[in-house]
Amino acid sequence: MNFGVFIEFPCREGMTEREAFAECFTLADEAEALGVDSVWLAEYHFSPISVLSSPITIASAIAARTQRIRIGLAVVLLPLGNPIRLAEDIATLDHISQGRVEFGVGRGTFPDTHDGFNSPYAESRERFDEYLEIILKAWTTERFSFTGKHYHCEDLYVRPKPLQTPHPPIRVGITSEMTFPLVGRMGLPIIINPSRVFALSELGPYIRQYRRAWHDAGHTESPQVGLRVPLYVAETAERAYEDPKDSTMMAVQGLGNRVAGSASRLGTTGDWSAEAEHLRGMSYDDWLRDKVVYGTPEVVVERLQQLTEELELTQILYEVNYGRQLPYELQLKNLRLINERVIPEFK
């Protein structure tokens, strides 16, 4: 089992942006010192509570200040960028990090992010498919041309090539039901973020769809399933319940409002109005049951073992500051307890 930590570079009320960067770089240093397998960065735009809009730049800084920890991007929003530039930037990062890059990709969940980049959300699936194909060609061929619906290029020689061969490991982020079989047919590992749609207990059938599509497409390697999940570990059940409560509920309320605001947008799949209503009606105890894993070390170990067995997980990517409101001291204590009292039970 591989474990990685998500660091979302939050900027809490009263913090400066400079302080937000400094705090999270220090947390990444601590993760390296604790022996964490990997550190993961998302891509957030137009967020009042995160400064993580340029994850490739941040990944370069983490690469320069660490020696061992792998550096994951989960996910780079392919439709918002230029695929040639992304191919160059990720390959460059792979060299800077001495081959420690994990390349997670996605199309972006929320339409308002696409609006800000003048990239039509309804075209995001098509653009994702084209851009990923272009990036792979840029990394694996000396010269190439491409003609698609959204991008055209002629006889390009893209350098550098990645240090890892044939390229950094690729994973696809999943937040919706329909994506499981699509990615299975592509033969790519997945990272599931269940927060918007799924309860943890509901993921099994969708993962089976992914595995079935993988094998039906003739892929010979074993499917890889990663789960992104908030963890909070404390010495007592009371602290594990109370410490992250306010931060968690802020995340729940913000997610419900954002889903509701996107429900009528062209390109969304599923019933976002119903999803928003469900999210807005969930209590903290509902969220503890369905979406996160909080508790004493023993409780968290037992729950993660159950999820690993039920879902056949190969990777757990955990958040130590869900809702982005926990003070640094609690984030650090959580990170240490996870690595000292939880993860050793899986080695």
mmCIF file of all heavy atoms in Angstrom, residues 124-156:
data_model
loop_
_atom_site.group_PDB
_atom_site.id
_atom_site.type_symbol
_atom_site.label_atom_id
_atom_site.label_comp_id
_atom_site.label_asym_id
_atom_site.label_seq_id
_atom_site.Cartn_x
_atom_site.Cartn_y
_atom_site.Cartn_z
ATOM 1 N N SER A 124 -14.911 20.114 -22.263
ATOM 2 C CA SER A 124 -13.787 19.692 -21.421
ATOM 3 C C SER A 124 -13.416 18.228 -21.615
ATOM 4 O O SER A 124 -12.227 17.874 -21.560
ATOM 5 C CB SER A 124 -14.083 19.978 -19.953
ATOM 6 O OG SER A 124 -15.238 19.289 -19.510
ATOM 7 N N ARG A 125 -14.388 17.351 -21.833
ATOM 8 C CA ARG A 125 -14.054 15.939 -22.043
ATOM 9 C C ARG A 125 -13.273 15.761 -23.345
ATOM 10 O O ARG A 125 -12.264 15.047 -23.387
ATOM 11 C CB ARG A 125 -15.333 15.097 -22.065
ATOM 12 C CG ARG A 125 -15.146 13.648 -22.496
ATOM 13 C CD ARG A 125 -14.201 12.881 -21.612
ATOM 14 N NE ARG A 125 -14.651 12.810 -20.233
ATOM 15 C CZ ARG A 125 -13.924 12.330 -19.229
ATOM 16 N NH1 ARG A 125 -12.694 11.910 -19.464
ATOM 17 N NH2 ARG A 125 -14.416 12.295 -18.013
ATOM 18 N N GLU A 126 -13.730 16.393 -24.428
ATOM 19 C CA GLU A 126 -13.021 16.286 -25.703
ATOM 20 C C GLU A 126 -11.605 16.859 -25.594
ATOM 21 O O GLU A 126 -10.640 16.276 -26.105
ATOM 22 C CB GLU A 126 -13.785 17.020 -26.796
ATOM 23 C CG GLU A 126 -15.143 16.428 -27.142
ATOM 24 C CD GLU A 126 -15.900 17.289 -28.137
ATOM 25 O OE1 GLU A 126 -15.502 18.459 -28.327
ATOM 26 O OE2 GLU A 126 -16.876 16.781 -28.731
ATOM 27 N N ARG A 127 -11.500 18.016 -24.957
ATOM 28 C CA ARG A 127 -10.177 18.637 -24.816
ATOM 29 C C ARG A 127 -9.250 17.776 -23.954
ATOM 30 O O ARG A 127 -8.056 17.639 -24.250
ATOM 31 C CB ARG A 127 -10.311 20.049 -24.219
ATOM 32 C CG ARG A 127 -10.937 21.052 -25.181
ATOM 33 C CD ARG A 127 -11.068 22.427 -24.537
ATOM 34 N NE ARG A 127 -11.700 23.374 -25.431
ATOM 35 C CZ ARG A 127 -11.050 24.141 -26.308
ATOM 36 N NH1 ARG A 127 -9.728 24.065 -26.395
ATOM 37 N NH2 ARG A 127 -11.706 24.969 -27.092
ATOM 38 N N PHE A 128 -9.790 17.201 -22.891
ATOM 39 C CA PHE A 128 -8.984 16.326 -22.038
ATOM 40 C C PHE A 128 -8.389 15.187 -22.868
ATOM 41 O O PHE A 128 -7.185 14.909 -22.802
ATOM 42 C CB PHE A 128 -9.848 15.764 -20.906
ATOM 43 C CG PHE A 128 -9.166 14.714 -20.084
ATOM 44 C CD1 PHE A 128 -8.375 15.056 -19.007
ATOM 45 C CD2 PHE A 128 -9.302 13.361 -20.406
ATOM 46 C CE1 PHE A 128 -7.725 14.076 -18.255
ATOM 47 C CE2 PHE A 128 -8.667 12.385 -19.662
ATOM 48 C CZ PHE A 128 -7.875 12.739 -18.587
ATOM 49 N N ASP A 129 -9.225 14.510 -23.639
ATOM 50 C CA ASP A 129 -8.758 13.373 -24.422
ATOM 51 C C ASP A 129 -7.681 13.796 -25.428
ATOM 52 O O ASP A 129 -6.645 13.129 -25.569
ATOM 53 C CB ASP A 129 -9.928 12.716 -25.167
ATOM 54 C CG ASP A 129 -10.907 12.030 -24.230
ATOM 55 O OD1 ASP A 129 -10.524 11.740 -23.075
ATOM 56 O OD2 ASP A 129 -12.060 11.796 -24.641
ATOM 57 N N GLU A 130 -7.923 14.893 -26.145
ATOM 58 C CA GLU A 130 -6.946 15.360 -27.130
ATOM 59 C C GLU A 130 -5.631 15.762 -26.470
ATOM 60 O O GLU A 130 -4.551 15.395 -26.929
ATOM 61 C CB GLU A 130 -7.511 16.554 -27.906
ATOM 62 C CG GLU A 130 -8.464 16.177 -29.008
ATOM 63 C CD GLU A 130 -8.751 17.352 -29.947
ATOM 64 O OE1 GLU A 130 -7.978 18.342 -29.950
ATOM 65 O OE2 GLU A 130 -9.749 17.271 -30.687
ATOM 66 N N TYR A 131 -5.736 16.537 -25.405
ATOM 67 C CA TYR A 131 -4.525 17.088 -24.798
ATOM 68 C C TYR A 131 -3.665 15.993 -24.178
ATOM 69 O O TYR A 131 -2.430 16.054 -24.237
ATOM 70 C CB TYR A 131 -4.888 18.137 -23.752
ATOM 71 C CG TYR A 131 -5.498 19.407 -24.321
ATOM 72 C CD1 TYR A 131 -5.772 19.542 -25.676
ATOM 73 C CD2 TYR A 131 -5.819 20.477 -23.488
ATOM 74 C CE1 TYR A 131 -6.337 20.694 -26.193
ATOM 75 C CE2 TYR A 131 -6.390 21.642 -23.997
ATOM 76 C CZ TYR A 131 -6.645 21.742 -25.343
ATOM 77 O OH TYR A 131 -7.212 22.884 -25.848
ATOM 78 N N LEU A 132 -4.297 14.983 -23.575
ATOM 79 C CA LEU A 132 -3.514 13.888 -23.016
ATOM 80 C C LEU A 132 -2.791 13.128 -24.132
ATOM 81 O O LEU A 132 -1.612 12.765 -23.994
ATOM 82 C CB LEU A 132 -4.418 12.935 -22.226
ATOM 83 C CG LEU A 132 -3.707 11.764 -21.544
ATOM 84 C CD1 LEU A 132 -2.609 12.252 -20.609
ATOM 85 C CD2 LEU A 132 -4.714 10.895 -20.788
ATOM 86 N N GLU A 133 -3.460 12.918 -25.235
ATOM 87 C CA GLU A 133 -2.816 12.253 -26.372
ATOM 88 C C GLU A 133 -1.624 13.060 -26.873
ATOM 89 O O GLU A 133 -0.549 12.499 -27.180
ATOM 90 C CB GLU A 133 -3.831 12.052 -27.504
ATOM 91 C CG GLU A 133 -3.260 11.324 -28.708
ATOM 92 C CD GLU A 133 -4.282 11.095 -29.812
ATOM 93 O OE1 GLU A 133 -5.485 11.337 -29.584
ATOM 94 O OE2 GLU A 133 -3.866 10.682 -30.922
ATOM 95 N N ILE A 134 -1.775 14.369 -26.946
ATOM 96 C CA ILE A 134 -0.685 15.230 -27.413
ATOM 97 C C ILE A 134 0.501 15.166 -26.456
ATOM 98 O O ILE A 134 1.662 15.055 -26.878
ATOM 99 C CB ILE A 134 -1.185 16.680 -27.565
ATOM 100 C CG1 ILE A 134 -2.183 16.776 -28.726
ATOM 101 C CG2 ILE A 134 -0.014 17.642 -27.791
ATOM 102 C CD1 ILE A 134 -2.987 18.064 -28.731
ATOM 103 N N ILE A 135 0.236 15.245 -25.164
ATOM 104 C CA ILE A 135 1.316 15.194 -24.167
ATOM 105 C C ILE A 135 2.095 13.888 -24.281
ATOM 106 O O ILE A 135 3.334 13.881 -24.259
ATOM 107 C CB ILE A 135 0.735 15.392 -22.757
ATOM 108 C CG1 ILE A 135 0.254 16.844 -22.585
ATOM 109 C CG2 ILE A 135 1.770 15.050 -21.685
ATOM 110 C CD1 ILE A 135 -0.570 17.079 -21.339
ATOM 111 N N LEU A 136 1.386 12.789 -24.429
ATOM 112 C CA LEU A 136 2.066 11.497 -24.551
ATOM 113 C C LEU A 136 2.906 11.435 -25.828
ATOM 114 O O LEU A 136 4.020 10.898 -25.821
ATOM 115 C CB LEU A 136 1.046 10.367 -24.523
ATOM 116 C CG LEU A 136 0.399 10.122 -23.149
ATOM 117 C CD1 LEU A 136 -0.738 9.123 -23.266
ATOM 118 C CD2 LEU A 136 1.433 9.644 -22.138
ATOM 119 N N LYS A 137 2.397 11.973 -26.929
ATOM 120 C CA LYS A 137 3.187 12.011 -28.167
ATOM 121 C C LYS A 137 4.422 12.883 -27.989
ATOM 122 O O LYS A 137 5.518 12.546 -28.465
ATOM 123 C CB LYS A 137 2.328 12.533 -29.319
ATOM 124 C CG LYS A 137 1.297 11.546 -29.849
ATOM 125 C CD LYS A 137 0.506 12.162 -31.000
ATOM 126 C CE LYS A 137 -0.534 11.188 -31.536
ATOM 127 N NZ LYS A 137 0.094 10.004 -32.186
ATOM 128 N N ALA A 138 4.269 14.014 -27.312
ATOM 129 C CA ALA A 138 5.402 14.915 -27.098
ATOM 130 C C ALA A 138 6.497 14.236 -26.286
ATOM 131 O O ALA A 138 7.688 14.504 -26.488
ATOM 132 C CB ALA A 138 4.928 16.188 -26.395
ATOM 133 N N TRP A 139 6.121 13.371 -25.355
ATOM 134 C CA TRP A 139 7.089 12.698 -24.490
ATOM 135 C C TRP A 139 7.736 11.472 -25.122
ATOM 136 O O TRP A 139 8.839 11.094 -24.750
ATOM 137 C CB TRP A 139 6.400 12.264 -23.200
ATOM 138 C CG TRP A 139 6.137 13.385 -22.246
ATOM 139 C CD1 TRP A 139 6.668 14.643 -22.267
ATOM 140 C CD2 TRP A 139 5.278 13.339 -21.103
ATOM 141 N NE1 TRP A 139 6.190 15.388 -21.212
ATOM 142 C CE2 TRP A 139 5.338 14.609 -20.487
ATOM 143 C CE3 TRP A 139 4.462 12.356 -20.551
ATOM 144 C CZ2 TRP A 139 4.618 14.914 -19.327
ATOM 145 C CZ3 TRP A 139 3.736 12.651 -19.403
ATOM 146 C CH2 TRP A 139 3.819 13.920 -18.793
ATOM 147 N N THR A 140 7.052 10.828 -26.049
ATOM 148 C CA THR A 140 7.486 9.500 -26.489
ATOM 149 C C THR A 140 7.915 9.436 -27.950
ATOM 150 O O THR A 140 8.337 8.377 -28.410
ATOM 151 C CB THR A 140 6.368 8.466 -26.261
ATOM 152 O OG1 THR A 140 5.185 8.871 -26.976
ATOM 153 C CG2 THR A 140 6.044 8.341 -24.778
ATOM 154 N N THR A 141 7.810 10.537 -28.699
ATOM 155 C CA THR A 141 8.255 10.556 -30.093
ATOM 156 C C THR A 141 9.207 11.730 -30.311
ATOM 157 O O THR A 141 9.082 12.771 -29.657
ATOM 158 C CB THR A 141 7.070 10.677 -31.062
ATOM 159 O OG1 THR A 141 6.355 11.886 -30.791
ATOM 160 C CG2 THR A 141 6.120 9.498 -30.913
ATOM 161 N N GLU A 142 10.135 11.536 -31.227
ATOM 162 C CA GLU A 142 11.095 12.604 -31.494
ATOM 163 C C GLU A 142 10.405 13.811 -32.133
ATOM 164 O O GLU A 142 10.588 14.948 -31.701
ATOM 165 C CB GLU A 142 12.204 12.083 -32.413
ATOM 166 C CG GLU A 142 13.220 11.212 -31.705
ATOM 167 C CD GLU A 142 13.929 11.949 -30.590
ATOM 168 O OE1 GLU A 142 14.541 12.999 -30.859
ATOM 169 O OE2 GLU A 142 13.853 11.486 -29.431
ATOM 170 N N ARG A 143 9.620 13.553 -33.150
ATOM 171 C CA ARG A 143 8.851 14.608 -33.803
ATOM 172 C C ARG A 143 7.442 14.105 -34.029
ATOM 173 O O ARG A 143 7.229 12.914 -34.256
ATOM 174 C CB ARG A 143 9.470 15.002 -35.157
ATOM 175 C CG ARG A 143 10.801 15.708 -35.054
ATOM 176 C CD ARG A 143 11.308 16.151 -36.424
ATOM 177 N NE ARG A 143 12.566 16.856 -36.314
ATOM 178 C CZ ARG A 143 12.685 18.156 -36.054
ATOM 179 N NH1 ARG A 143 11.595 18.898 -35.897
ATOM 180 N NH2 ARG A 143 13.871 18.721 -35.974
ATOM 181 N N PHE A 144 6.473 15.008 -33.974
ATOM 182 C CA PHE A 144 5.097 14.564 -34.194
ATOM 183 C C PHE A 144 4.249 15.717 -34.692
ATOM 184 O O PHE A 144 4.575 16.902 -34.513
ATOM 185 C CB PHE A 144 4.497 13.983 -32.910
ATOM 186 C CG PHE A 144 4.076 15.018 -31.905
ATOM 187 C CD1 PHE A 144 2.741 15.403 -31.803
ATOM 188 C CD2 PHE A 144 5.009 15.626 -31.074
ATOM 189 C CE1 PHE A 144 2.348 16.366 -30.883
ATOM 190 C CE2 PHE A 144 4.623 16.589 -30.156
ATOM 191 C CZ PHE A 144 3.282 16.959 -30.063
ATOM 192 N N SER A 145 3.155 15.340 -35.324
ATOM 193 C CA SER A 145 2.117 16.280 -35.739
ATOM 194 C C SER A 145 0.803 15.793 -35.159
ATOM 195 O O SER A 145 0.632 14.605 -34.845
ATOM 196 C CB SER A 145 2.027 16.369 -37.265
ATOM 197 O OG SER A 145 3.261 16.780 -37.827
ATOM 198 N N PHE A 146 -0.149 16.715 -35.045
ATOM 199 C CA PHE A 146 -1.456 16.335 -34.492
ATOM 200 C C PHE A 146 -2.531 17.240 -35.090
ATOM 201 O O PHE A 146 -2.360 18.460 -35.162
ATOM 202 C CB PHE A 146 -1.460 16.484 -32.972
ATOM 203 C CG PHE A 146 -2.742 16.036 -32.323
ATOM 204 C CD1 PHE A 146 -2.925 14.719 -31.950
ATOM 205 C CD2 PHE A 146 -3.776 16.944 -32.106
ATOM 206 C CE1 PHE A 146 -4.114 14.300 -31.357
ATOM 207 C CE2 PHE A 146 -4.967 16.541 -31.515
ATOM 208 C CZ PHE A 146 -5.128 15.213 -31.144
ATOM 209 N N THR A 147 -3.627 16.617 -35.500
ATOM 210 C CA THR A 147 -4.778 17.369 -35.974
ATOM 211 C C THR A 147 -6.012 16.844 -35.261
ATOM 212 O O THR A 147 -6.387 15.677 -35.415
ATOM 213 C CB THR A 147 -4.962 17.226 -37.491
ATOM 214 O OG1 THR A 147 -3.803 17.746 -38.147
ATOM 215 C CG2 THR A 147 -6.192 18.000 -37.953
ATOM 216 N N GLY A 148 -6.608 17.689 -34.442
ATOM 217 C CA GLY A 148 -7.808 17.309 -33.709
ATOM 218 C C GLY A 148 -8.865 18.392 -33.829
ATOM 219 O O GLY A 148 -8.697 19.378 -34.551
ATOM 220 N N LYS A 149 -9.918 18.219 -33.074
ATOM 221 C CA LYS A 149 -11.003 19.197 -33.103
ATOM 222 C C LYS A 149 -10.586 20.500 -32.429
ATOM 223 O O LYS A 149 -11.027 21.593 -32.815
ATOM 224 C CB LYS A 149 -12.234 18.610 -32.426
ATOM 225 C CG LYS A 149 -13.455 19.508 -32.457
ATOM 226 C CD LYS A 149 -14.655 18.802 -31.833
ATOM 227 C CE LYS A 149 -15.886 19.725 -31.812
ATOM 228 N NZ LYS A 149 -17.060 19.045 -31.207
ATOM 229 N N HIS A 150 -9.745 20.398 -31.405
ATOM 230 C CA HIS A 150 -9.411 21.572 -30.598
ATOM 231 C C HIS A 150 -7.945 21.977 -30.674
ATOM 232 O O HIS A 150 -7.583 23.023 -30.135
ATOM 233 C CB HIS A 150 -9.784 21.311 -29.135
ATOM 234 C CG HIS A 150 -11.228 20.968 -28.933
ATOM 235 N ND1 HIS A 150 -12.222 21.909 -29.024
ATOM 236 C CD2 HIS A 150 -11.831 19.780 -28.689
ATOM 237 C CE1 HIS A 150 -13.389 21.324 -28.807
ATOM 238 N NE2 HIS A 150 -13.184 20.040 -28.610
ATOM 239 N N TYR A 151 -7.108 21.177 -31.308
ATOM 240 C CA TYR A 151 -5.684 21.520 -31.346
ATOM 241 C C TYR A 151 -5.054 20.966 -32.616
ATOM 242 O O TYR A 151 -5.391 19.875 -33.073
ATOM 243 C CB TYR A 151 -4.952 20.945 -30.131
ATOM 244 C CG TYR A 151 -3.658 21.667 -29.825
ATOM 245 C CD1 TYR A 151 -3.654 22.787 -29.003
ATOM 246 C CD2 TYR A 151 -2.452 21.243 -30.375
ATOM 247 C CE1 TYR A 151 -2.480 23.459 -28.734
ATOM 248 C CE2 TYR A 151 -1.274 21.912 -30.112
ATOM 249 C CZ TYR A 151 -1.294 23.020 -29.290
ATOM 250 O OH TYR A 151 -0.134 23.698 -29.027
ATOM 251 N N HIS A 152 -4.121 21.750 -33.141
ATOM 252 C CA HIS A 152 -3.395 21.353 -34.353
ATOM 253 C C HIS A 152 -1.941 21.780 -34.202
ATOM 254 O O HIS A 152 -1.646 22.893 -33.745
ATOM 255 C CB HIS A 152 -4.011 22.021 -35.591
ATOM 256 C CG HIS A 152 -3.212 21.805 -36.840
ATOM 257 N ND1 HIS A 152 -3.316 20.663 -37.592
ATOM 258 C CD2 HIS A 152 -2.279 22.594 -37.445
ATOM 259 C CE1 HIS A 152 -2.484 20.752 -38.621
ATOM 260 N NE2 HIS A 152 -1.854 21.906 -38.558
ATOM 261 N N CYS A 153 -1.030 20.882 -34.564
ATOM 262 C CA CYS A 153 0.385 21.255 -34.579
ATOM 263 C C CYS A 153 1.094 20.424 -35.649
ATOM 264 O O CYS A 153 0.640 19.344 -36.027
ATOM 265 C CB CYS A 153 1.038 21.041 -33.214
ATOM 266 S SG CYS A 153 0.941 19.352 -32.573
ATOM 267 N N GLU A 154 2.210 20.939 -36.136
ATOM 268 C CA GLU A 154 2.929 20.310 -37.237
ATOM 269 C C GLU A 154 4.402 20.126 -36.887
ATOM 270 O O GLU A 154 5.084 21.075 -36.493
ATOM 271 C CB GLU A 154 2.828 21.175 -38.507
ATOM 272 C CG GLU A 154 1.459 21.208 -39.154
ATOM 273 C CD GLU A 154 1.122 19.921 -39.897
ATOM 274 O OE1 GLU A 154 2.050 19.107 -40.104
ATOM 275 O OE2 GLU A 154 -0.044 19.752 -40.268
ATOM 276 N N ASP A 155 4.865 18.899 -36.989
ATOM 277 C CA ASP A 155 6.285 18.565 -36.970
ATOM 278 C C ASP A 155 7.018 19.221 -35.793
ATOM 279 O O ASP A 155 8.019 19.920 -35.966
ATOM 280 C CB ASP A 155 6.941 18.977 -38.294
ATOM 281 C CG ASP A 155 8.310 18.340 -38.466
ATOM 282 O OD1 ASP A 155 8.515 17.222 -37.967
ATOM 283 O OD2 ASP A 155 9.181 18.986 -39.104
ATOM 284 N N LEU A 156 6.519 18.958 -34.589
ATOM 285 C CA LEU A 156 7.129 19.541 -33.392
ATOM 286 C C LEU A 156 8.177 18.599 -32.799
ATOM 287 O O LEU A 156 7.988 17.382 -32.744
ATOM 288 C CB LEU A 156 6.065 19.823 -32.333
ATOM 289 C CG LEU A 156 5.019 20.879 -32.665
ATOM 290 C CD1 LEU A 156 4.127 21.121 -31.454
ATOM 291 C CD2 LEU A 156 5.671 22.180 -33.107
#
